[in-house]
Amino acid sequence: MARVVVDVMLKPEILDPQGQAVQRALPRLGFDGISDVRQGKRFELEVDGPVDDAALARIHELAESFLANTVIENFTVKIEEPAVGAEK
Amino acid sequence: MTARIGVVTFPGSLDDRDTQRAIRLAGAEPVALWHKDKDLKQVDAVVLPGGFSYGDYLRAGAISRFSPVMETLIDQAKAGLPVLGICNGFQVLTEAHLLPGAMLGNDHRHFICRDQKLRVENATTAWSSEYEAGQEIHIPLKNMDGRYVADERTLDELEAEGRVVFRYLDFNPNGSLRDIAGITNAAGNVVGLMPHPEHAVEPLVGTGRTDGLPFFTSILKKLVAAS
């Protein structure tokens, strides 16, 4: 089993009202100096078997056709390596 | 023979019955279509109704776009079958790339429900021929994800080709670029819009006007003329 992470973000030129709402709340919470916030989506895919090039290509296809709408969103695909000496 | 107009029910569709009723009032025969069926039952046109299919999870319309019924519908729409997408249906049509651009959350982040004034910009599509270009109409609008976006090139192309079919007047309810409320594909058979014409077909309800009825009489006239 391996985990592949797909991160999806609105393209920079697309207005992100959710991110703006979060950003505007920051001074009220005492967090200064943050000039912009954008909110995205993270998908964690648990993959059976090895994540070889073929599996990655399939996931890339999945991200491009379904998880992200490339008219408005960019995405990245990465394999999440288990941390060395990680507990649990 | 009476024109048969299909109405697709996805899990989470809300306005399928209202749409069937509007079709019946216009004088056509509504045909219920189920999202899991690939068969379109030989209908002459299809309406994708409003609602919150699949709870709008992932993106509005994104999961429905992969329903079995859409496989058939996408092919047939490209071959000329008239298709109208209302609200969630419009979102499905953009996700299916039958219409350009995409729908995003309203810029003010709130659900909105109001009587909306629109201008009919294009009265030559399969679904708008019973209006006159420039006509101003009132149609109910209710949505969470009604912000139409597309890149500048696509917007310029839509404007230049007269493919903006309806535009918001007086008030832009969701931040849609260039006040766009509805668009058509290049062939004019596929139309999508955010406001709900099916809620304005009887004087007793909604706006008290019947400004939505010409959508359904337009398609009926086209189908009768073609037969």
Side-chain angles (χ1 to χ4, degrees):
Chain A
M1 283 260 282
R3 174 177 292 176
V4 175
V5 175
V6 179
D7 278 307
V8 177
M9 290 297 295
L10 277 179
K11 288 181 178 176
E13 67 271 23
I14 304 274
L15 172 73
D16 175 15
Q18 291 184 102
Q20 286 188 343
V22 173
Q23 194 264 325
R24 285 190 204 123
L26 294 179
R28 201 163 64 230
L29 300 173
F31 291 97
D32 295 318
I34 296 172
S35 56
D36 192 28
V37 175
R38 294 182 69 78
Q39 183 174 325
K41 290 178 207 161
R42 172 185 166 103
F43 299 87
E44 297 184 350
L45 313 180
E46 303 296 337
V47 182
D48 298 333
V51 181
D52 50 18
D53 286 352
L56 260 186
R58 289 275 296 147
I59 291 169
H60 194 276
E61 193 186 318
L62 163 72
E64 189 166 35
S65 60
F66 187 49
L67 299 181
N69 178 344
T70 55
V71 174
I72 45 170
E73 293 167 328
N74 294 322
F75 67 91
T76 60
V77 178
K78 61 176 186 284
I79 304 170
E80 193 171 81
E81 303 286 350
V84 180
E87 301 136 58
K88 22 177 197 187
Chain B
M1 222 181 75
T2 319
R4 288 158 48 83
I5 303 178
V7 180
V8 178
T9 299
F10 298 99
S13 292
L14 292 174
D15 300 320
D16 42 346
R17 292 303 184 95
D18 283 37
T19 304
Q20 289 176 20
R21 185 175 172 79
I23 289 166
R24 198 175 301 118
L25 283 169
E29 179 192 346
V31 178
L33 299 174
W34 181 235
H35 73 113
K36 276 191 176 170
D37 297 334
K38 283 191 179 181
D39 182 16
L40 294 184
K41 298 186 183 170
Q42 298 184 314
V43 292
D44 305 301
V46 173
V47 181
L48 303 179
F52 293 86
S53 61
Y54 290 92
D56 277 356
Y57 290 133
L58 187 56
R59 296 177 307 277
I63 299 177
S64 301
R65 175 251 175 279
F66 292 97
S67 288
V69 74
M70 288 301 294
E71 283 180 41
T72 315
L73 186 124
I74 288 169
D75 285 344
Q76 296 210 10
K78 285 177 179 168
L81 181 77
V83 179
L84 174 67
I86 301 168
C87 197
N88 194 236
F90 185 15
Q91 294 158 345
V92 173
L93 290 177
T94 59
E95 283 288 339
H97 304 300
L98 285 172
L99 293 173
M103 308 301 306
L104 280 163
N106 299 341
D107 59 352
H108 45 75
R109 304 178 307 283
H110 298 286
F111 185 88
I112 188 165
C113 180
R114 69 193 303 272
D115 289 343
Q116 177 69 46
K117 197 170 168 189
L118 303 173
R119 184 171 56 231
V120 180
E121 303 279 18
N122 178 339
T124 66
T125 76
W127 302 91
S128 63
S129 65
E130 289 283 89
Y131 293 105
E132 282 169 28
Q135 190 178 342
E136 295 178 4
I137 59 175
H138 288 80
I139 298 233
L141 170 115
K142 51 181 177 119
N143 66 65
M144 187 74 211
D145 298 292
R147 175 167 50 118
Y148 180 77
V149 299
D151 59 32
E152 285 296 309
R153 218 185 84 196
T154 305
L155 292 170
D156 287 342
E157 202 175 285
L158 288 174
E159 302 271 14
E161 293 174 7
R163 289 167 55 193
V164 175
V165 186
F166 301 95
R167 219 184 290 267
Y168 298 119
L169 270 192
D170 300 342
F171 176 72
N172 184 328
N174 43 35
S176 284
L177 296 179
R178 303 196 192 181
D179 299 332
I180 288 173
I183 55 172
T184 183
N185 64 344
N189 63 308
V190 180
V191 171
L193 82 163
M194 285 316 291
H196 288 262
E198 79 283 15
H199 295 330
V201 293
E202 287 170 294
L204 194 62
V205 294
T207 54
R209 302 159 63 126
T210 56
D211 289 5
L213 198 57
F215 273 82
F216 306 99
T217 51
S218 293
I219 187 63
L220 184 60
K221 192 178 78 173
K222 181 185 165 65
L223 294 173
V224 169
S227 66

